[in-house]
């Protein structure tokens, strides 16, 4: 190899490494799955694990929300699929919902997941055509989660006991 080719290869390697470090700094992935999924989505090669997603939906529909979240998180380990994140947020909503009160920790986790879904969806909009869901869009789910996290006088309304979970 000539010295010129060696310098050029070194420059290309250095620029690629600097770009990777910059990407890590901006995205701040927490797991190896997020790193590999993020790199794959950058080049358009990311896809979810369909079998785990189907398992998650089966658990979700049978009201086993902890198991559903585990399967859905396994399906989208890089947290790059808006639809999967929507179902994760919805599972937090359904598990945390109560006639008298809501579990604020679960609702906050659901709000975090629905915000991830909104960030991933094109234009921040996602509509899921699932007949089992009472709320079919990110906006509806986000509004319901935020409503559950606020405290006001309407919390004292006894008619609240008759409301239905969505």
């Amino acid at each position: 190899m000539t010295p010129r080719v060696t310098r050029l290869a070194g420059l290309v390697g250095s620029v690629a490494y600097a770009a990777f470090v910059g990407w890590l700094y901006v995205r701040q992935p927490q797991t190896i799955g997020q790193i590999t999924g993020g790199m794959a989505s950058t080049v358009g090669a990311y896809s979810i694990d369909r079998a785990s997603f189907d398992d998650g939906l089966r658990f979700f529909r049978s009201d086993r929300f902890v198991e559903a979240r585990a399967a859905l998180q396994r399906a989208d380990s890089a947290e790059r699929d808006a639809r999967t994140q929507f179902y994760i947020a919805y599972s937090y909503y359904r598990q945390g919902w109560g006639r008298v009160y809501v579990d604020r920790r679960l609702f906050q986790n659901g709000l975090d997941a629905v915000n991830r879904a909104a960030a991933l969806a094109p234009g921040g909009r996602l509509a899921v055509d699932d007949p089992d869901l009472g709320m079919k869009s990110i906006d509806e789910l986000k509004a319901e989660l935020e409503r559950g996290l606020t405290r006001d006088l309407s919390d004292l309304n006894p008619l609240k006991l008759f409301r239905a979970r969505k």
Side-chain angles (χ1 to χ4, degrees), residues 37-59:
M39 295 301 285
S41 69
T42 301
V43 297
Y46 181 74
S47 65
I48 63 169
D49 177 9
R50 195 69 199 166
S52 294
F53 182 80
D54 292 340
D55 288 344
L57 283 183
R58 188 171 37 81
F59 288 132

Side-chain angles (χ1 to χ4, degrees), residues 1-11:
M1 279 170 71
T2 65
R4 186 176 192 165
V5 173
T6 304
R7 281 190 219 119
L8 186 60
L11 178 64

